[in-house]
Amino acid sequence: MKMVLATHNLNKAGEMLRILAGLDIEFIALPDFAGAPDVEEDGSTLEENAVKKANSAAMFTGLPALADDTGLEVDALGGAPGVFSARYAGPGCSYGENNKKLLSALAGLPSAKRSARFRCVMALVYPGGKLLTAQGQLEGFITLQVMGKGGFGYDPIFEVKGLGKTLAELAPEEKNIISHRAAALRAMLELLKSGQ
Ligand code: IMP
């Protein structure tokens, strides 16, 4: 079976391909289809955005399409940036600008009050319209400063609960075992195995 990875984010696609390696599915990245549309992520929930991305890719390519939408929920900020994680510091902002803004927003808060989680919603849409969704999350804390050089996005300021390291301090294969994205993909594979 062929399946499209419905993302233009190379970091995400790379992680997903490594997590899904060994399956009897040929994954094709969306940018490999000339003229593939880039969807505006304007939904009010992670699920809405994930479904919108998968749906657009399935319609465009005529293949089943898998998409994720991820948000970082910080308890001290009432769950923000959440669905706005990509553009927290403004439209077109960089990962570094998002991290800087979040560290400023939490300035002065002790570690015990910096709890947060990544939540990932995975959507699989078939060309006929059938939809499956699955979720994964990873608990942790926002650090006091940037730590580590790996990963992407908020990884350098997200310390994994119980590990004492940020996601950016882990090797890619370590992140890909414990991550929100890996958990969501495992849940999706369980749905597929159970015949849904
Ligand atoms: P989206 O799922 O592409 O909308 O991602 C929203 C934002 O969350 C992006 O700006 C990424 O920086 C961030 N993000 C998504 N996945 C991860 C991750 O695995 N680690 C760190 N940041 C992430």
Side-chain angles (χ1 to χ4, degrees):
M1 182 183 28
K2 289 185 179 180
M3 192 176 280
V4 182
L5 283 187
T7 180
H8 289 276
N9 180 327
L10 295 179
N11 297 112
K12 267 191 192 180
E15 283 189 10
M16 289 167 78
L17 282 176
R18 277 185 216 107
I19 295 165
L20 295 165
L23 292 179
D24 196 17
I25 299 175
E26 183 191 340
F27 290 99
I28 309 170
L30 188 57
D32 289 347
F33 292 86
D38 204 357
V39 164
E40 200 189 339
E41 298 184 27
D42 56 0
S44 56
T45 62
L46 298 175
E47 179 163 3
E48 244 182 83
N49 282 336
V51 171
K52 192 174 175 190
K53 287 186 258 188
N55 203 36
S56 157
M59 294 306 122
F60 184 77
T61 63
L63 292 171
L66 186 62
D68 93 339
D69 201 52
T70 297
L72 176 63
E73 300 173 349
V74 179
D75 293 326
L77 302 177
V83 74
F84 302 110
S85 294
R87 50 190 188 283
Y88 181 51
C93 63
S94 67
Y95 291 149
E97 286 165 337
N98 278 338
N99 289 342
K100 200 169 160 205
K101 179 169 176 186
L102 188 50
L103 290 179
S104 300
L106 299 183
L109 264 194
S111 296
K113 294 196 172 156
R114 299 170 80 99
S115 56
R117 72 204 49 77
F118 278 111
R119 191 183 302 281
C120 174
V121 176
M122 201 61 67
L124 174 58
V125 173
Y126 291 84
K130 181 180 160 186
L131 164 70
L132 293 176
T133 59
Q135 275 208 44
Q137 61 189 66
L138 179 65
E139 297 288 335
F141 304 88
I142 304 304
T143 50
L144 298 171
Q145 60 192 34
V146 169
M147 315 249 291
K149 302 227 176 288
F152 69 99
Y154 295 96
D155 283 350
I157 60 167
F158 185 88
E159 181 182 314
V160 182
K161 191 174 180 181
L163 269 191
K165 283 183 182 177
T166 66
L167 281 173
E169 293 177 296
L170 299 182
E173 54 276 18
E174 293 175 299
K175 177 181 176 187
N176 289 338
I177 291 171
I178 59 163
S179 80
H180 42 291
R181 189 162 293 107
L185 280 173
R186 278 195 297 270
M188 178 62 79
L189 293 177
E190 284 305 312
L191 290 180
L192 291 175
K193 267 192 224 154
S194 71
Q196 292 200 50

PDB file of all heavy atoms in Angstrom, residues 9 12 15 41 49 53 68-72 82-83 85-87 95 98 118 152-155 167 175 179-181, ligand 1:
ATOM      1  N   ASN A   9       6.765  19.798   6.643  1.00  0.00           N
ATOM      2  CA  ASN A   9       7.792  19.979   7.674  1.00  0.00           C
ATOM      3  C   ASN A   9       8.750  18.783   7.640  1.00  0.00           C
ATOM      4  O   ASN A   9       8.394  17.659   7.991  1.00  0.00           O
ATOM      5  CB  ASN A   9       7.080  20.092   9.039  1.00  0.00           C
ATOM      6  CG  ASN A   9       8.047  20.280  10.187  1.00  0.00           C
ATOM      7  OD1 ASN A   9       9.160  19.770  10.176  1.00  0.00           O
ATOM      8  ND2 ASN A   9       7.606  21.012  11.199  1.00  0.00           N
ATOM      9  N   LYS A  12       9.341  16.816  10.934  1.00  0.00           N
ATOM     10  CA  LYS A  12       8.237  15.898  11.263  1.00  0.00           C
ATOM     11  C   LYS A  12       8.264  14.672  10.370  1.00  0.00           C
ATOM     12  O   LYS A  12       8.114  13.544  10.831  1.00  0.00           O
ATOM     13  CB  LYS A  12       6.900  16.590  11.004  1.00  0.00           C
ATOM     14  CG  LYS A  12       6.324  17.267  12.169  1.00  0.00           C
ATOM     15  CD  LYS A  12       4.909  17.631  11.778  1.00  0.00           C
ATOM     16  CE  LYS A  12       4.324  18.574  12.762  1.00  0.00           C
ATOM     17  NZ  LYS A  12       2.970  18.948  12.428  1.00  0.00           N
ATOM     18  N   GLU A  15      10.937  12.250  11.385  1.00  0.00           N
ATOM     19  CA  GLU A  15      10.589  11.491  12.596  1.00  0.00           C
ATOM     20  C   GLU A  15       9.552  10.420  12.269  1.00  0.00           C
ATOM     21  O   GLU A  15       9.662   9.268  12.694  1.00  0.00           O
ATOM     22  CB  GLU A  15      10.017  12.436  13.664  1.00  0.00           C
ATOM     23  CG  GLU A  15      11.067  13.256  14.361  1.00  0.00           C
ATOM     24  CD  GLU A  15      10.536  14.040  15.554  1.00  0.00           C
ATOM     25  OE1 GLU A  15       9.368  13.810  15.992  1.00  0.00           O
ATOM     26  OE2 GLU A  15      11.271  14.879  16.051  1.00  0.00           O
ATOM     27  N   GLU A  41      -3.487  26.286   8.552  1.00  0.00           N
ATOM     28  CA  GLU A  41      -3.873  25.598   9.789  1.00  0.00           C
ATOM     29  C   GLU A  41      -4.702  26.550  10.650  1.00  0.00           C
ATOM     30  O   GLU A  41      -4.228  27.085  11.643  1.00  0.00           O
ATOM     31  CB  GLU A  41      -2.624  25.109  10.518  1.00  0.00           C
ATOM     32  CG  GLU A  41      -1.844  24.116   9.681  1.00  0.00           C
ATOM     33  CD  GLU A  41      -0.645  23.536  10.393  1.00  0.00           C
ATOM     34  OE1 GLU A  41      -0.650  23.474  11.639  1.00  0.00           O
ATOM     35  OE2 GLU A  41       0.292  23.127   9.700  1.00  0.00           O
ATOM     36  N   ASN A  49      -7.246  20.629  12.530  1.00  0.00           N
ATOM     37  CA  ASN A  49      -6.107  20.900  11.647  1.00  0.00           C
ATOM     38  C   ASN A  49      -5.529  19.626  11.052  1.00  0.00           C
ATOM     39  O   ASN A  49      -5.193  19.584   9.864  1.00  0.00           O
ATOM     40  CB  ASN A  49      -5.004  21.647  12.407  1.00  0.00           C
ATOM     41  CG  ASN A  49      -5.321  23.118  12.576  1.00  0.00           C
ATOM     42  OD1 ASN A  49      -6.088  23.684  11.803  1.00  0.00           O
ATOM     43  ND2 ASN A  49      -4.748  23.725  13.592  1.00  0.00           N
ATOM     44  N   LYS A  53      -5.415  18.773   7.011  1.00  0.00           N
ATOM     45  CA  LYS A  53      -4.172  18.484   6.268  1.00  0.00           C
ATOM     46  C   LYS A  53      -4.258  17.130   5.572  1.00  0.00           C
ATOM     47  O   LYS A  53      -3.889  16.988   4.403  1.00  0.00           O
ATOM     48  CB  LYS A  53      -2.962  18.498   7.220  1.00  0.00           C
ATOM     49  CG  LYS A  53      -2.562  19.869   7.691  1.00  0.00           C
ATOM     50  CD  LYS A  53      -1.271  19.828   8.505  1.00  0.00           C
ATOM     51  CE  LYS A  53      -1.521  19.917   9.986  1.00  0.00           C
ATOM     52  NZ  LYS A  53      -0.310  20.069  10.810  1.00  0.00           N
ATOM     53  N   ASP A  68      -0.282  14.952  11.024  1.00  0.00           N
ATOM     54  CA  ASP A  68      -0.391  15.218  12.455  1.00  0.00           C
ATOM     55  C   ASP A  68      -0.534  16.707  12.691  1.00  0.00           C
ATOM     56  O   ASP A  68      -0.163  17.526  11.848  1.00  0.00           O
ATOM     57  CB  ASP A  68       0.798  14.639  13.232  1.00  0.00           C
ATOM     58  CG  ASP A  68       1.951  15.615  13.447  1.00  0.00           C
ATOM     59  OD1 ASP A  68       2.055  16.594  12.699  1.00  0.00           O
ATOM     60  OD2 ASP A  68       2.736  15.388  14.373  1.00  0.00           O
ATOM     61  N   ASP A  69      -1.120  17.061  13.830  1.00  0.00           N
ATOM     62  CA  ASP A  69      -1.050  18.424  14.314  1.00  0.00           C
ATOM     63  C   ASP A  69      -0.677  18.335  15.780  1.00  0.00           C
ATOM     64  O   ASP A  69      -1.219  17.511  16.512  1.00  0.00           O
ATOM     65  CB  ASP A  69      -2.369  19.182  14.111  1.00  0.00           C
ATOM     66  CG  ASP A  69      -2.133  20.686  14.124  1.00  0.00           C
ATOM     67  OD1 ASP A  69      -1.258  21.157  13.368  1.00  0.00           O
ATOM     68  OD2 ASP A  69      -2.801  21.396  14.893  1.00  0.00           O
ATOM     69  N   THR A  70       0.283  19.151  16.165  1.00  0.00           N
ATOM     70  CA  THR A  70       0.834  19.060  17.511  1.00  0.00           C
ATOM     71  C   THR A  70       0.744  20.406  18.198  1.00  0.00           C
ATOM     72  O   THR A  70       0.950  21.438  17.564  1.00  0.00           O
ATOM     73  CB  THR A  70       2.320  18.615  17.434  1.00  0.00           C
ATOM     74  OG1 THR A  70       2.363  17.311  16.864  1.00  0.00           O
ATOM     75  CG2 THR A  70       2.972  18.584  18.796  1.00  0.00           C
ATOM     76  N   GLY A  71       0.453  20.379  19.490  1.00  0.00           N
ATOM     77  CA  GLY A  71       0.437  21.613  20.271  1.00  0.00           C
ATOM     78  C   GLY A  71       1.162  21.397  21.582  1.00  0.00           C
ATOM     79  O   GLY A  71       1.206  20.285  22.109  1.00  0.00           O
ATOM     80  N   LEU A  72       1.754  22.475  22.086  1.00  0.00           N
ATOM     81  CA  LEU A  72       2.395  22.450  23.396  1.00  0.00           C
ATOM     82  C   LEU A  72       1.451  23.146  24.368  1.00  0.00           C
ATOM     83  O   LEU A  72       1.111  24.319  24.153  1.00  0.00           O
ATOM     84  CB  LEU A  72       3.745  23.181  23.321  1.00  0.00           C
ATOM     85  CG  LEU A  72       4.500  23.319  24.636  1.00  0.00           C
ATOM     86  CD1 LEU A  72       4.886  21.952  25.209  1.00  0.00           C
ATOM     87  CD2 LEU A  72       5.754  24.168  24.446  1.00  0.00           C
ATOM     88  N   GLY A  82      -0.858  25.837  22.782  1.00  0.00           N
ATOM     89  CA  GLY A  82      -1.829  24.888  22.244  1.00  0.00           C
ATOM     90  C   GLY A  82      -1.884  24.877  20.731  1.00  0.00           C
ATOM     91  O   GLY A  82      -0.866  24.736  20.059  1.00  0.00           O
ATOM     92  N   VAL A  83      -3.103  25.075  20.210  1.00  0.00           N
ATOM     93  CA  VAL A  83      -3.293  24.981  18.756  1.00  0.00           C
ATOM     94  C   VAL A  83      -2.554  26.116  18.018  1.00  0.00           C
ATOM     95  O   VAL A  83      -2.335  26.037  16.810  1.00  0.00           O
ATOM     96  CB  VAL A  83      -4.808  24.945  18.427  1.00  0.00           C
ATOM     97  CG1 VAL A  83      -5.444  26.307  18.609  1.00  0.00           C
ATOM     98  CG2 VAL A  83      -5.070  24.396  17.034  1.00  0.00           C
ATOM     99  N   SER A  85       0.613  26.887  18.609  1.00  0.00           N
ATOM    100  CA  SER A  85       2.038  26.694  18.910  1.00  0.00           C
ATOM    101  C   SER A  85       2.957  27.144  17.781  1.00  0.00           C
ATOM    102  O   SER A  85       4.034  27.693  18.024  1.00  0.00           O
ATOM    103  CB  SER A  85       2.316  25.224  19.236  1.00  0.00           C
ATOM    104  OG  SER A  85       1.668  24.871  20.435  1.00  0.00           O
ATOM    105  N   ALA A  86       2.557  26.914  16.529  1.00  0.00           N
ATOM    106  CA  ALA A  86       3.453  27.236  15.405  1.00  0.00           C
ATOM    107  C   ALA A  86       3.679  28.741  15.294  1.00  0.00           C
ATOM    108  O   ALA A  86       4.779  29.182  14.984  1.00  0.00           O
ATOM    109  CB  ALA A  86       2.877  26.697  14.099  1.00  0.00           C
ATOM    110  N   ARG A  87       2.632  29.517  15.552  1.00  0.00           N
ATOM    111  CA  ARG A  87       2.758  30.974  15.356  1.00  0.00           C
ATOM    112  C   ARG A  87       2.611  31.738  16.669  1.00  0.00           C
ATOM    113  O   ARG A  87       2.117  32.877  16.687  1.00  0.00           O
ATOM    114  CB  ARG A  87       1.725  31.444  14.326  1.00  0.00           C
ATOM    115  CG  ARG A  87       0.299  30.958  14.587  1.00  0.00           C
ATOM    116  CD  ARG A  87      -0.627  31.244  13.397  1.00  0.00           C
ATOM    117  NE  ARG A  87      -2.024  30.965  13.683  1.00  0.00           N
ATOM    118  CZ  ARG A  87      -2.565  29.743  13.720  1.00  0.00           C
ATOM    119  NH1 ARG A  87      -1.807  28.665  13.513  1.00  0.00           N
ATOM    120  NH2 ARG A  87      -3.858  29.575  13.967  1.00  0.00           N
ATOM    121  N   TYR A  95      11.430  29.045  15.228  1.00  0.00           N
ATOM    122  CA  TYR A  95      11.375  28.217  16.442  1.00  0.00           C
ATOM    123  C   TYR A  95      12.017  28.968  17.612  1.00  0.00           C
ATOM    124  O   TYR A  95      11.512  28.963  18.736  1.00  0.00           O
ATOM    125  CB  TYR A  95      12.139  26.911  16.218  1.00  0.00           C
ATOM    126  CG  TYR A  95      11.510  25.942  15.234  1.00  0.00           C
ATOM    127  CD1 TYR A  95      12.316  25.093  14.466  1.00  0.00           C
ATOM    128  CD2 TYR A  95      10.134  25.845  15.083  1.00  0.00           C
ATOM    129  CE1 TYR A  95      11.769  24.184  13.575  1.00  0.00           C
ATOM    130  CE2 TYR A  95       9.571  24.943  14.194  1.00  0.00           C
ATOM    131  CZ  TYR A  95      10.395  24.115  13.436  1.00  0.00           C
ATOM    132  OH  TYR A  95       9.849  23.222  12.559  1.00  0.00           O
ATOM    133  N   ASN A  98       9.728  31.585  19.108  1.00  0.00           N
ATOM    134  CA  ASN A  98       8.685  30.959  19.941  1.00  0.00           C
ATOM    135  C   ASN A  98       9.247  30.588  21.308  1.00  0.00           C
ATOM    136  O   ASN A  98       8.622  30.829  22.350  1.00  0.00           O
ATOM    137  CB  ASN A  98       8.160  29.685  19.266  1.00  0.00           C
ATOM    138  CG  ASN A  98       7.109  29.978  18.210  1.00  0.00           C
ATOM    139  OD1 ASN A  98       6.477  31.030  18.232  1.00  0.00           O
ATOM    140  ND2 ASN A  98       6.923  29.050  17.293  1.00  0.00           N
ATOM    141  N   PHE A 118       3.199  17.958  25.365  1.00  0.00           N
ATOM    142  CA  PHE A 118       2.954  17.963  23.935  1.00  0.00           C
ATOM    143  C   PHE A 118       1.764  17.065  23.677  1.00  0.00           C
ATOM    144  O   PHE A 118       1.702  15.937  24.194  1.00  0.00           O
ATOM    145  CB  PHE A 118       4.146  17.380  23.156  1.00  0.00           C
ATOM    146  CG  PHE A 118       5.248  18.351  22.916  1.00  0.00           C
ATOM    147  CD1 PHE A 118       6.467  18.207  23.550  1.00  0.00           C
ATOM    148  CD2 PHE A 118       5.082  19.409  22.035  1.00  0.00           C
ATOM    149  CE1 PHE A 118       7.495  19.096  23.321  1.00  0.00           C
ATOM    150  CE2 PHE A 118       6.106  20.314  21.798  1.00  0.00           C
ATOM    151  CZ  PHE A 118       7.316  20.146  22.445  1.00  0.00           C
ATOM    152  N   PHE A 152      13.632  19.733  17.120  1.00  0.00           N
ATOM    153  CA  PHE A 152      13.181  20.963  16.463  1.00  0.00           C
ATOM    154  C   PHE A 152      12.124  21.621  17.345  1.00  0.00           C
ATOM    155  O   PHE A 152      11.743  21.078  18.385  1.00  0.00           O
ATOM    156  CB  PHE A 152      12.649  20.664  15.051  1.00  0.00           C
ATOM    157  CG  PHE A 152      11.345  19.885  15.032  1.00  0.00           C
ATOM    158  CD1 PHE A 152      10.124  20.527  14.859  1.00  0.00           C
ATOM    159  CD2 PHE A 152      11.346  18.513  15.204  1.00  0.00           C
ATOM    160  CE1 PHE A 152       8.926  19.815  14.839  1.00  0.00           C
ATOM    161  CE2 PHE A 152      10.158  17.792  15.200  1.00  0.00           C
ATOM    162  CZ  PHE A 152       8.947  18.442  15.021  1.00  0.00           C
ATOM    163  N   GLY A 153      11.666  22.786  16.908  1.00  0.00           N
ATOM    164  CA  GLY A 153      10.568  23.454  17.609  1.00  0.00           C
ATOM    165  C   GLY A 153      10.884  23.741  19.072  1.00  0.00           C
ATOM    166  O   GLY A 153      11.931  24.288  19.415  1.00  0.00           O
ATOM    167  N   TYR A 154       9.972  23.319  19.943  1.00  0.00           N
ATOM    168  CA  TYR A 154      10.110  23.591  21.372  1.00  0.00           C
ATOM    169  C   TYR A 154      10.991  22.562  22.086  1.00  0.00           C
ATOM    170  O   TYR A 154      11.122  22.621  23.304  1.00  0.00           O
ATOM    171  CB  TYR A 154       8.719  23.611  22.028  1.00  0.00           C
ATOM    172  CG  TYR A 154       7.816  24.736  21.551  1.00  0.00           C
ATOM    173  CD1 TYR A 154       6.883  24.540  20.532  1.00  0.00           C
ATOM    174  CD2 TYR A 154       7.890  26.003  22.124  1.00  0.00           C
ATOM    175  CE1 TYR A 154       6.047  25.564  20.097  1.00  0.00           C
ATOM    176  CE2 TYR A 154       7.064  27.042  21.700  1.00  0.00           C
ATOM    177  CZ  TYR A 154       6.151  26.813  20.688  1.00  0.00           C
ATOM    178  OH  TYR A 154       5.334  27.841  20.264  1.00  0.00           O
ATOM    179  N   ASP A 155      11.590  21.630  21.361  1.00  0.00           N
ATOM    180  CA  ASP A 155      12.388  20.567  21.999  1.00  0.00           C
ATOM    181  C   ASP A 155      13.447  21.078  22.983  1.00  0.00           C
ATOM    182  O   ASP A 155      13.612  20.485  24.050  1.00  0.00           O
ATOM    183  CB  ASP A 155      13.063  19.685  20.933  1.00  0.00           C
ATOM    184  CG  ASP A 155      12.094  18.702  20.289  1.00  0.00           C
ATOM    185  OD1 ASP A 155      10.963  18.571  20.792  1.00  0.00           O
ATOM    186  OD2 ASP A 155      12.484  18.052  19.292  1.00  0.00           O
ATOM    187  N   LEU A 167      14.004  17.292  25.226  1.00  0.00           N
ATOM    188  CA  LEU A 167      13.915  16.464  24.008  1.00  0.00           C
ATOM    189  C   LEU A 167      15.099  16.748  23.088  1.00  0.00           C
ATOM    190  O   LEU A 167      15.538  15.870  22.345  1.00  0.00           O
ATOM    191  CB  LEU A 167      12.595  16.744  23.272  1.00  0.00           C
ATOM    192  CG  LEU A 167      11.351  16.068  23.851  1.00  0.00           C
ATOM    193  CD1 LEU A 167      10.092  16.575  23.131  1.00  0.00           C
ATOM    194  CD2 LEU A 167      11.431  14.547  23.748  1.00  0.00           C
ATOM    195  N   LYS A 175      14.144  10.058  21.266  1.00  0.00           N
ATOM    196  CA  LYS A 175      12.925  10.881  21.157  1.00  0.00           C
ATOM    197  C   LYS A 175      11.822  10.081  20.469  1.00  0.00           C
ATOM    198  O   LYS A 175      10.661  10.119  20.879  1.00  0.00           O
ATOM    199  CB  LYS A 175      13.199  12.178  20.377  1.00  0.00           C
ATOM    200  CG  LYS A 175      11.925  13.015  20.204  1.00  0.00           C
ATOM    201  CD  LYS A 175      12.087  14.300  19.417  1.00  0.00           C
ATOM    202  CE  LYS A 175      10.710  14.974  19.247  1.00  0.00           C
ATOM    203  NZ  LYS A 175      10.721  16.144  18.371  1.00  0.00           N
ATOM    204  N   SER A 179       8.141   9.944  22.229  1.00  0.00           N
ATOM    205  CA  SER A 179       7.466  11.202  21.869  1.00  0.00           C
ATOM    206  C   SER A 179       5.957  11.064  21.716  1.00  0.00           C
ATOM    207  O   SER A 179       5.414   9.978  21.484  1.00  0.00           O
ATOM    208  CB  SER A 179       8.064  11.774  20.572  1.00  0.00           C
ATOM    209  OG  SER A 179       7.529  11.105  19.449  1.00  0.00           O
ATOM    210  N   HIS A 180       5.293  12.205  21.829  1.00  0.00           N
ATOM    211  CA  HIS A 180       3.863  12.356  21.563  1.00  0.00           C
ATOM    212  C   HIS A 180       3.526  11.835  20.153  1.00  0.00           C
ATOM    213  O   HIS A 180       2.513  11.199  19.940  1.00  0.00           O
ATOM    214  CB  HIS A 180       3.504  13.839  21.690  1.00  0.00           C
ATOM    215  CG  HIS A 180       4.536  14.745  21.071  1.00  0.00           C
ATOM    216  ND1 HIS A 180       5.796  14.890  21.611  1.00  0.00           N
ATOM    217  CD2 HIS A 180       4.539  15.475  19.929  1.00  0.00           C
ATOM    218  CE1 HIS A 180       6.515  15.691  20.836  1.00  0.00           C
ATOM    219  NE2 HIS A 180       5.778  16.050  19.806  1.00  0.00           N
ATOM    220  N   ARG A 181       4.432  12.114  19.203  1.00  0.00           N
ATOM    221  CA  ARG A 181       4.177  11.701  17.807  1.00  0.00           C
ATOM    222  C   ARG A 181       4.258  10.176  17.693  1.00  0.00           C
ATOM    223  O   ARG A 181       3.430   9.551  17.027  1.00  0.00           O
ATOM    224  CB  ARG A 181       5.210  12.382  16.890  1.00  0.00           C
ATOM    225  CG  ARG A 181       4.949  12.236  15.415  1.00  0.00           C
ATOM    226  CD  ARG A 181       5.724  13.264  14.611  1.00  0.00           C
ATOM    227  NE  ARG A 181       5.252  14.602  14.859  1.00  0.00           N
ATOM    228  CZ  ARG A 181       5.930  15.515  15.571  1.00  0.00           C
ATOM    229  NH1 ARG A 181       7.125  15.243  16.049  1.00  0.00           N
ATOM    230  NH2 ARG A 181       5.407  16.691  15.781  1.00  0.00           N
TER     231      ARG A 181
HETATM  232  P1  IMP B   1       2.252  21.801  13.783  1.00  0.00           P
HETATM  233  O1  IMP B   1       1.782  20.445  14.172  1.00  0.00           O
HETATM  234  O2  IMP B   1       3.118  21.762  12.562  1.00  0.00           O
HETATM  235  O3  IMP B   1       1.160  22.815  13.683  1.00  0.00           O
HETATM  236  O4  IMP B   1       3.236  22.240  14.931  1.00  0.00           O
HETATM  237  C1  IMP B   1       2.985  23.300  15.789  1.00  0.00           C
HETATM  238  C2  IMP B   1       4.249  23.779  16.438  1.00  0.00           C
HETATM  239  O5  IMP B   1       4.602  22.849  17.423  1.00  0.00           O
HETATM  240  C3  IMP B   1       5.436  23.942  15.500  1.00  0.00           C
HETATM  241  O6  IMP B   1       5.846  25.264  15.551  1.00  0.00           O
HETATM  242  C4  IMP B   1       6.528  23.145  16.083  1.00  0.00           C
HETATM  243  O7  IMP B   1       7.561  24.000  16.445  1.00  0.00           O
HETATM  244  C5  IMP B   1       5.964  22.592  17.365  1.00  0.00           C
HETATM  245  N1  IMP B   1       6.188  21.156  17.385  1.00  0.00           N
HETATM  246  C6  IMP B   1       5.498  20.192  16.722  1.00  0.00           C
HETATM  247  N2  IMP B   1       6.009  18.989  17.004  1.00  0.00           N
HETATM  248  C7  IMP B   1       7.049  19.203  17.835  1.00  0.00           C
HETATM  249  C8  IMP B   1       7.989  18.354  18.471  1.00  0.00           C
HETATM  250  O8  IMP B   1       7.995  17.126  18.297  1.00  0.00           O
HETATM  251  N3  IMP B   1       8.887  18.953  19.259  1.00  0.00           N
HETATM  252  C9  IMP B   1       8.930  20.299  19.466  1.00  0.00           C
HETATM  253  N4  IMP B   1       8.094  21.143  18.894  1.00  0.00           N
HETATM  254  C10 IMP B   1       7.157  20.596  18.087  1.00  0.00           C
END
